[in-house]
Amino acid sequence: MVSEAILFQVASMTALVGMALGWRGVMTRFSGFYDLPTAWNQIFWGILIGGIYASLADGYIFVPFVTAGLTGVTSGNSISNLVIILAISVVIHMMLRRVRVRKTGSQPTSGWALGLAIGGMTAMYLIFRVLQVYDVSLLIIANIVLLAIITPRCEALMCAHHGYRMLEGERWRAVFRSFFIRTIFLSALYYSVLQPITWIFIIPLTLLAERNAEKWVWAAVPKPARRRLRRIWAEKAREASIEEE
């Protein structure tokens, strides 16, 4: 039997790889044109907040959920489950209301970084539980890979959208919107541990949300930087067309 220390190391490394992959794409495309120091600051806070959130969700939501799924015995603590999810949505809102974030209008990019770290911590706990409960097989390995890649990215998308709605003038409405989406996502994510086929529903919805992520992050780019960025993109497009000819 592999020791829990080794399982935790494997889960940590896998989750960190997922976080690194989650930074690629939208955030790298706009790199240098948004408030990067604040985004990295949110990564730090996201790891701390995400660790607490993932621990609470693991103990009060995931373990009873899996126990009910395997034995049919429910714990009846659904109210506390909702309180945990609502609490993390409120904490995210407060983090995106910090003066440092609001001053630069970087709620979407800060939200992406914050969500990426929170999702990474959630993925770490889930991967640890999967390795702890199941024997290694191709299906379990595939499930772990999906947990590591999709979980941080989905949480980043939710937090970036939360930040975008804040830029649009929403306040507590953005919190309840995030609470509703996060409740559905967390339920589907936990169910995927018992039934990996759930990924066929999670992945398409993630890809649909991904299509709007560029709009959310674009809102965090200052207007002068947008003009420079458009010029850079235009120059790259011309160079690419010349090379093709």
Side-chain angles (χ1 to χ4, degrees):
M1 184 69 179
V2 181
S3 69
E4 291 190 352
I6 295 176
L7 295 181
F8 185 78
Q9 289 177 355
V10 172
S12 301
M13 292 300 298
T14 309
L16 286 173
V17 170
M19 288 174 59
L21 293 175
W23 191 266
R24 300 180 63 83
V26 176
M27 295 295 276
T28 52
R29 176 174 169 78
F30 293 94
S31 181
F33 292 90
Y34 57 85
D35 189 1
L36 185 59
T38 299
W40 278 110
N41 179 264
Q42 295 289 1
I43 286 279
F44 167 76
W45 284 108
I47 291 173
L48 293 179
I49 295 169
I52 298 171
Y53 166 64
S55 177
L56 291 173
D58 176 74
Y60 289 94
I61 305 177
F62 178 74
V63 173
F65 180 85
V66 172
T67 302
L70 295 176
T71 65
V73 179
T74 58
S75 60
N77 60 346
S78 57
I79 299 298
S80 63
N81 299 350
L82 295 177
V83 169
I84 292 172
I85 301 173
L86 178 60
I88 188 63
S89 300
V90 171
V91 169
I92 289 169
H93 185 77
M94 299 307 295
M95 290 298 297
L96 297 181
R97 287 190 72 251
R98 296 168 65 198
V99 175
R100 180 175 181 175
V101 177
R102 287 187 288 113
K103 186 168 62 176
T104 56
S106 61
Q107 285 94 331
T109 51
S110 295
W112 186 285
L114 184 66
L116 201 62
I118 292 173
M121 295 299 100
T122 304
M124 182 182 69
Y125 272 81
L126 276 174
I127 293 168
F128 174 76
R129 289 299 188 186
V130 170
L131 292 171
Q132 191 180 44
V133 173
Y134 295 102
D135 295 327
V136 177
S137 65
L138 289 177
L139 181 61
I140 295 303
I141 292 173
N143 205 7
I144 288 172
V145 170
L146 289 172
L147 285 171
I149 296 175
I150 301 297
T151 307
R153 201 162 193 91
C154 281
E155 192 64 55
L157 286 166
M158 286 187 286
C159 291
H161 179 251
H162 189 139
Y164 174 74
R165 300 314 307 178
M166 291 175 69
L167 279 182
E168 293 294 302
E170 291 188 8
R171 294 185 180 180
W172 292 108
R173 186 179 176 183
V175 174
F176 289 110
R177 190 195 300 267
S178 294
F179 163 70
F180 178 73
I181 297 172
R182 185 169 286 106
T183 301
I184 296 175
F185 167 68
L186 199 64
S187 300
L189 189 67
Y190 284 172
Y191 193 71
S192 71
V193 175
L194 296 175
Q195 297 291 340
I197 196 173
T198 309
W199 288 110
I200 68 173
F201 302 101
I202 298 175
I203 294 174
L205 292 175
T206 303
L207 294 176
L208 286 174
E210 187 83 24
R211 295 173 59 183
N212 295 313
E214 188 168 308
K215 179 182 74 173
W216 302 336
V217 174
W218 178 258
V221 178
K223 291 183 178 179
R226 294 180 189 180
R227 290 192 290 268
R228 294 198 303 271
L229 190 53
R230 288 194 185 99
R231 286 198 297 268
I232 292 173
W233 286 345
E235 290 174 1
K236 288 184 177 179
R238 284 195 298 269
E239 290 174 359
S241 61
I242 292 172
E243 290 177 358
E244 290 177 359
E245 293 175 358

